[in-house]
Amino acid sequence: MRSRLGVGVVALLTVATVSAQAQAPRRPVPSGSFGEQVTVLHLEPGITVTLVAPAHVDPRQPLDLILYALPNGNTTAQTIGRRLDEGMDWHYDIQHIGAQVRMLRTMGRPQAVVAYLEARGLSWPAWRRGLGYDSANARIVRAVDEVRAAAGNPSRQRVTLAGHSGGGSLMFGFIEGATRLPAWLDRIVFLDANYNFEPSHAAPLAGWLAGDPGRELVALAYDDRNIMLNGKKVVSDSGGTWRASERMLRALGGHITFVTDTVGEFVRHRAPQVQLLMHPNPENRILHTEMIGEMNGFAHAMLVGRPDYDRLPPLLRRERAYTRWVDTVAV
């Protein structure tokens, strides 16, 4: 049976019901062995937001708010991750966004707060399709405003819009639904999630980047054109994130000049404020989640562009850097 937030911990969570506008959530309650503060928001229709903040937040300092759109088929608890004990679902041990964020808090982001965005049915593409794209896009934009208000200190937030897999559908919904990408948006991170990129997305992204030299756009993908599952190709002859990243590179190339090099196993197409990281996948393996968890892809994407990180050996490698921050219980 699917547990939205992990067995035995629902009673510890603060739940605030939010409808058309965000209401102030009740006082968060500590959860997990790291004492993080957890609040759950229910936004209609069918959006569940789990805000996970550090044990102590200084209201006088800027807040790093990470809006993280969940991959298809994964619950919030599985996306956060925990130590895998005997008999547990293996999905708890593949992404570890919670542990990677705890690590980020020790690397210059002590006020990092994650808003895990889960769609009813565990699929953002299906949620948008069912609501109708125009209505869904407008609702996503409003939902982001509600989450920012609920997180607190919105005038001093540095916001990242991130997503893995089908979570990219929410991200494109926000890009398409916004009149223009807002000034408070600090970073956009596609984690094997840019399937639906079209050339029309390039102009708003380029315009947003041009508005502030501190903004960053990062995308991770791998060569998924020929991967097989149960004897069948996983993506169509025109689909997948490798082809989407090629479209992104061509379209953004009309606005930005790229140079190409490598970082670890990845080919890196980079420009000031942009990194498109593409794994050539010579073994033709399914790296869809492995890049994010086993290779520390989320943490790397959150840190690139910062001088104090770019001077160090990159985390983007086949060795978990966050093991000490994996929780022993579900948040």
Side-chain angles (χ1 to χ4, degrees), residues 35-323:
E36 290 172 310
Q37 305 290 314
V38 179
T39 304
V40 179
L41 313 175
H42 294 300
L43 311 182
E44 294 299 333
I47 304 173
T48 300
V49 182
T50 303
L51 283 161
V52 182
H56 303 287
V57 175
D58 186 346
R60 299 167 297 180
Q61 299 299 320
L63 198 70
D64 286 297
L65 178 61
I66 303 165
L67 305 169
Y68 192 88
L70 266 61
N72 292 347
N74 284 226
T75 67
T76 296
Q78 290 167 347
T79 300
I80 295 171
R82 58 153 292 178
R83 186 184 68 193
L84 195 64
D85 294 330
E86 186 176 355
M88 281 188 60
D89 189 319
W90 56 272
H91 288 90
Y92 285 91
D93 191 43
I94 58 174
Q95 301 172 70
H96 287 296
I97 302 305
Q100 293 190 65
V101 170
R102 294 176 200 120
M103 182 177 69
L104 291 176
R105 292 183 187 133
T106 72
M107 301 177 70
R109 289 292 186 261
Q111 301 253 110
V113 175
V114 190
Y116 295 92
L117 303 166
E118 178 182 312
R120 182 172 52 212
L122 301 182
S123 170
W124 282 109
W127 183 89
R128 285 179 70 207
R129 189 165 54 247
L131 198 61
Y133 289 104
D134 289 343
S135 296
N137 296 348
R139 184 65 189 99
I140 287 169
V141 171
R142 295 198 310 274
V144 167
D145 288 338
E146 292 163 11
V147 173
R148 292 184 63 235
N153 204 12
S155 65
R156 303 198 67 190
Q157 289 175 357
R158 295 180 295 218
V159 181
T160 294
L161 178 64
H164 176 210
S165 184
S169 184
L170 177 143
M171 299 173 68
F172 285 119
F174 183 81
I175 293 168
E176 294 166 12
T179 304
R180 60 183 299 178
L181 291 175
W184 45 256
L185 185 59
D186 186 63
R187 184 174 294 245
I188 297 175
V189 173
F190 289 98
L191 298 169
D192 210 34
N194 60 346
Y195 296 93
N196 299 122
F197 179 86
E198 296 296 342
S200 58
H201 295 128
L205 288 170
W208 166 74
L209 289 166
D212 188 329
R215 295 171 183 162
E216 296 283 340
L217 170 65
V218 185
L220 269 73
Y222 75 106
D223 191 346
D224 54 2
R225 291 173 294 181
N226 295 302
I227 58 171
M228 308 286 285
L229 183 65
N230 298 325
K232 297 181 180 180
K233 277 191 175 183
V234 173
V235 301
S236 70
D237 290 340
S238 60
T241 58
W242 182 270
R243 293 184 179 93
S245 296
E246 290 180 330
R247 294 195 301 272
M248 181 178 281
L249 183 62
R250 288 194 299 269
L252 287 174
H255 305 268
I256 299 165
T257 299
F258 286 92
V259 297
T260 301
D261 57 10
T262 60
V263 55
E265 300 175 17
F266 288 77
V267 176
R268 175 173 60 180
H269 305 283
R270 61 183 175 88
Q273 303 176 256
V274 184
Q275 290 203 20
L276 305 183
L277 298 151
M278 300 173 66
H279 194 294
N281 193 20
E283 298 175 359
N284 199 37
R285 298 175 58 234
I286 297 177
L287 302 178
H288 179 60
T289 300
E290 188 171 323
M291 292 189 302
I292 314 311
E294 295 298 318
M295 298 185 188
N296 315 296
F298 168 72
H300 177 79
M302 290 298 301
L303 291 168
V304 293
R306 292 178 51 203
D308 54 342
Y309 176 70
D310 288 344
R311 290 191 293 264
L312 299 172
L315 292 173
L316 195 61
R317 59 182 185 270
R318 289 181 185 270
E319 179 185 0
R320 293 186 181 190
Y322 53 81
T323 301

Side-chain angles (χ1 to χ4, degrees), residues 20-41:
Q21 294 182 341
Q23 301 172 3
R26 304 183 197 121
R27 187 178 182 85
V29 175
S31 182
S33 57
F34 289 88
E36 290 172 310
Q37 305 290 314
V38 179
T39 304
V40 179
L41 313 175

